[in-house]
């Protein structure tokens, strides 16, 4: 966004702190390198008259790029790595193509109601035969999108189908016809096997090391976005698809009544304000261990915290460039349509379960990121659309290239689970003094509710003290000892004060979100343990108080009069715009709200114009009322996990904005 578009009352301060990037990407623009220094976005020119709402992307053996669109066209793009690509229409007249694959000289696409093979029989560069490989039922509901295919190691095709929505509750998923909310496995000769159930909006599918993974996004029964391995017979969490689980061809053993025995399906905020039986996800997973052995919900391999790493999960793609795209070879990139961004995921397998860490990676795409593919030059093609769904990227569609600059960012390359904590691997050697100071880390853990309501707030959040930290000899790894690890929980790991050994850079992205499905066995770290300062003590220090911690042992905070005065001032007066942007970024608010333009939610100026009091804004942050903003499709989740002091500062800043 051009800084001139920001209201005059903000222009001076925002220009001074360089927040043009923050307004566009939702990331706080700090001094030092930015994402653009390492990964540059280049827009591919699209000829006038072509509406390239990208639904599928695949690179062909000769280096050309094939792109399908939501409007039913398929284009072959010649010289896609150049500044002058050539577009050639290959097929048209299809129905909302949301996936594309290449196999044995032919393209395959998932239309709304069938898997189609596109054949160029005479070699003139256009498909002259459209063959139905397999067709599935459709009810005509608008939300019955179909995604894929992805090709498995045995040559079979994997296709997924969205659920529809109910009539009275727009957000309540329904499976009106067979195999909506399922993965279907289809052979070349048209034989279909129902493969797995429990999906709500499975737009994100991909093969990782030859294994099928899928991603879903927040909605009913889905607390947040995630990715997970999918095996035959799995149930992924959404019970609507279980309407077809008893059919003889179904491999899924879970039944809806098993879910409803634990969670009341009538929980509905329109009917009653209190949900009497909703459960944390960790409780529901136990169904597969005890109540219904081997029939429980498949735990996500890695959660993608809502509003932080995305709001609408899309393509899953593994880095196959062997270092040509930077330091993350073999890792996974996950697109997000709503926030026009890409997250990064490090996966590992512990005690037979996939788990790992998710990280922020690259924001600022011009449209909603829907599909990605690798180019022959090891850059990433990114295809987007926002039609009907909305996105922070303001263009209706687009095709871009993401290119590694060759400059090494200072990032957490990987986070691995340990018996008593985690091992953090960095892309550059760390400054050992900062890396071995336990007070430079902040770790907390939380989970989401499993209920039929749309989305979930963060629940059961607890701080996890870091008791020890030891850097490796080469400075590329740091082992941290963390108290009270919890299986089934997201562990938010922030090495906030750790710097690089050279240049003393801050981390480009300061958080790792590790989904700890299983704690590994093995020896504990040989590290001297200490007691770190508490979160409250660190906040008091930030507010100007002094904390007495002789010999690195925690003592009661001993504030000075000046410190207490500074703290009172910070919580009662209006913070600066620069401080607000930093706090809003830390609290993930900028993921959905901008200063003066609409995004996933209303702008802060729109909110300020309603003249809410500070107390009213605080209450609405903790307990949002979507009915106040009916024009926004995605309801805001309750932000009950945010510290009261931070919420008061944010609310005071928004309230003051209406008076400027």
């Amino acid at each position: 966004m051009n800084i001139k578009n920001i209201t005059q009352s903000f222009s001076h301060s925002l220009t001074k702190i360089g927040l043009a990037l923050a307004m566009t990407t939702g990331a706080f623009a700090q001094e030092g390198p930015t994402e653009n220094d390492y990964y540059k976005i280049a827009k591919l020119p699209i000829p006038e008259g072509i509406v390239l709402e990208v639904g599928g992307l695949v690179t062909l053996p000769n280096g050309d790029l094939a792109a399908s669109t939501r409007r039913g066209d398929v284009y072959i793009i010649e010289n896609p790595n150049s500044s002058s690509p050539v577009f050639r229409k290959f097929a048209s007249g299809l129905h909302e193509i949301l996936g594309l694959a290449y196999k044995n000289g032919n393209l395959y696409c998932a239309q709304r109601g069938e898997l189609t093979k596109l054949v160029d029989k005479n070699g003139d560069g256009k498909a002259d035969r459209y063959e139905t490989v397999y067709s599935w039922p459709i009810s005509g509901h608008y939300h019955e999108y179909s995604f894929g295919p992805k090709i498995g190691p045995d040559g079979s095709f994997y296709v997924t189908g969205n659920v529809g929505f109910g009539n009275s509750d727009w957000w309540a998923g329904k499976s009106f016809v067979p195999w909506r909310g399922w993965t279907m496995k289809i052979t070349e000769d048209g034989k279909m096997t129902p493969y797995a159930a429990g999906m709500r909006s499975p737009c994100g599918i991909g093969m990782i090391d030859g294994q099928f993974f899928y991603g879903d996004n927040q909605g009913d029964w889905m607390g947040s976005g995630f990715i997970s391995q999918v095996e035959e017979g799995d149930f992924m969490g959404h019970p609507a698809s279980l309407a077809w689980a008893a059919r003889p061809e179904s491999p899924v053993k879970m039944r809806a009544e098993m879910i409803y025995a634990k969670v009341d399906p009538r929980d509905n905020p329109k009917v009653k304000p209190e949900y009497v039986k909703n459960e944390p996800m960790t409780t529901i997973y136990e169904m597969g261990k005890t109540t219904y052995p081997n029939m429980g919900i498949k735990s996500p391999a890695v959660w993608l915290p809502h509003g932080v790493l995305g709001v609408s999960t899309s393509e899953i793609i593994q880095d196959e460039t062997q270092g040509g795209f930077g330091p993350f070879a073999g890792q996974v990139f996950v697109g997000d349509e709503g926030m026009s961004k890409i997250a990064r995921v490090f996966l590992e397998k512990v005690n037979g379960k996939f788990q790992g860490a998710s990280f922020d990676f690259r924001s600022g795409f011009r449209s909603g990121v829907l599909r990605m593919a690798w180019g022959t030059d090891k850059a990433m093609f990114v295809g987007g659309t926002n039609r009907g769904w909305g996105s922070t990227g303001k263009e209706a569609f687009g095709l871009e290239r993401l290119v590694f600059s060759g400059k090494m960012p200072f990032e957490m390359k990987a986070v691995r689970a340990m018996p008593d904590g985690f091992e953090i691997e960095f892309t550059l050697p760390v400054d050992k003094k900062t890396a071995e100071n336990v007070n430079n880390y902040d770790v907390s853990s939380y989970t989401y509710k499993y209920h039929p309501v749309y989305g979930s707030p963060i629940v059961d959040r607890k701080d996890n003290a870091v008791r020890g930290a030891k850097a490796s000899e080469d400075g590329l790894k740091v082992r941290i000892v963390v108290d009270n690890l919890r299986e089934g929980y997201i562990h938010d790991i922030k090495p906030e004060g750790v710097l690089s050994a050279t240049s003393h850079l801050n981390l480009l992205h300061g958080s790792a979100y590790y989904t700890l499905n299983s704690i590994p066995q093995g020896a504990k770290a040989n590290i001297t343990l200490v007691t770190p300062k508490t979160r409250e003590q660190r906040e008091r220090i930030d507010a100007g108080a002094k904390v007495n911690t002789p010999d690195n042992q925690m003592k009661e905070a001993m504030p000075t009069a000046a410190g207490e005065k500074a703290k009172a001032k910070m919580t009662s007066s209006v913070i600066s715009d620069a401080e607000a942007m930093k706090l809003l970024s830390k609290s993930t608010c900028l993921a959905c709200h901008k200063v003066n333009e609409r995004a996933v939610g209303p702008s802060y100026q729109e909110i300020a114009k309603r003249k809410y009091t500070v107390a009213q804004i605080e209450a609405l942050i903790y307990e949002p009322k979507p009915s106040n903003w009916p024009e926004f499709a995605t309801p805001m989740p309750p932000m009950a996990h945010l510290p009261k002091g931070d919420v008061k500062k944010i609310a005071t800043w928004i309230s003051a904005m209406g008076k400027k």
Side-chain angles (χ1 to χ4, degrees), residues 304-379:
L304 304 167
H306 184 76
V308 182
L309 299 186
V311 295
S312 187
T313 310
S314 62
E315 186 83 297
I316 299 172
I317 184 173
Q318 187 173 23
D319 186 346
E320 302 170 347
T321 67
Q322 298 179 331
F325 192 66
F328 309 117
Q331 295 191 21
V332 178
F333 296 102
V334 184
D336 189 81
E337 192 278 333
M339 290 177 65
S340 303
K341 70 186 301 180
I342 297 172
R344 175 172 60 88
V345 171
F346 167 78
L347 283 169
E348 62 176 346
K349 208 167 189 179
V350 175
N351 298 327
K353 296 182 178 181
F354 277 105
Q355 57 188 41
S358 54
F359 311 84
D360 211 344
F361 179 63
R362 187 62 165 99
S363 302
F365 294 95
R366 292 173 171 84
S367 190
V369 175
L370 199 71
R371 296 290 175 240
M372 294 115 71
W374 296 110
T376 54
D377 63 348
K378 300 184 178 181

Side-chain angles (χ1 to χ4, degrees), residues 212-231:
F212 180 62
F213 275 71
Y214 112 102
D216 221 317
N217 53 267
Q218 186 191 69
D220 56 314
W221 300 98
M222 302 290 180
S224 184
F226 61 83
I227 69 169
S228 184
Q229 182 201 20
V230 183
E231 298 173 286

Side-chain angles (χ1 to χ4, degrees), residues 117-139:
K117 181 179 180 180
L118 304 174
V119 184
D120 177 10
K121 294 189 68 176
N122 59 11
D124 65 352
K126 295 182 179 179
D128 41 38
R129 184 174 177 84
Y130 298 42
E131 299 179 1
T132 299
V133 179
Y134 179 80
S135 62
W136 47 83
I138 55 175
S139 73

Side-chain angles (χ1 to χ4, degrees), residues 71 348 388 496 644:
R71 298 195 176 197
E348 62 176 346
E496 295 176 326
K644 291 182 179 180

Side-chain angles (χ1 to χ4, degrees), residues 188-325:
E188 180 81 38
D189 60 3
K191 180 182 178 181
M192 190 281 290
T193 302
Y195 188 74
M199 296 158 181
R200 178 185 179 272
S201 188
C203 175
I205 58 177
M207 303 301 299
I208 301 174
D209 293 330
Q211 300 181 75
F212 180 62
F213 275 71
Y214 112 102
D216 221 317
N217 53 267
Q218 186 191 69
D220 56 314
W221 300 98
M222 302 290 180
S224 184
F226 61 83
I227 69 169
S228 184
Q229 182 201 20
V230 183
E231 298 173 286
E232 186 172 8
D234 278 345
F235 173 68
M236 310 311 297
H238 199 292
S241 59
L242 296 177
W244 321 107
R247 289 176 62 141
E249 63 268 47
S250 164
V252 175
K253 304 303 181 185
M254 176 62 80
R255 299 291 183 266
E257 56 268 24
M258 300 177 185
I259 300 293
Y260 300 152
K262 298 286 287 186
V263 184
D264 189 345
R266 298 165 297 178
D267 282 349
N268 187 328
K270 295 181 181 179
V271 176
K272 53 185 178 180
E274 300 297 329
Y275 313 134
V276 296
K277 293 180 72 175
N278 54 45
E279 300 275 0
M281 294 296 291
T282 49
T283 301
I284 302 303
Y285 295 149
E286 293 300 313
M287 293 174 65
K289 298 179 181 179
T290 55
T291 312
Y292 306 110
N294 302 317
M295 298 183 190
I297 299 172
K298 184 73 170 281
S299 171
V302 176
W303 286 101
L304 304 167
H306 184 76
V308 182
L309 299 186
V311 295
S312 187
T313 310
S314 62
E315 186 83 297
I316 299 172
I317 184 173
Q318 187 173 23
D319 186 346
E320 302 170 347
T321 67
Q322 298 179 331
F325 192 66

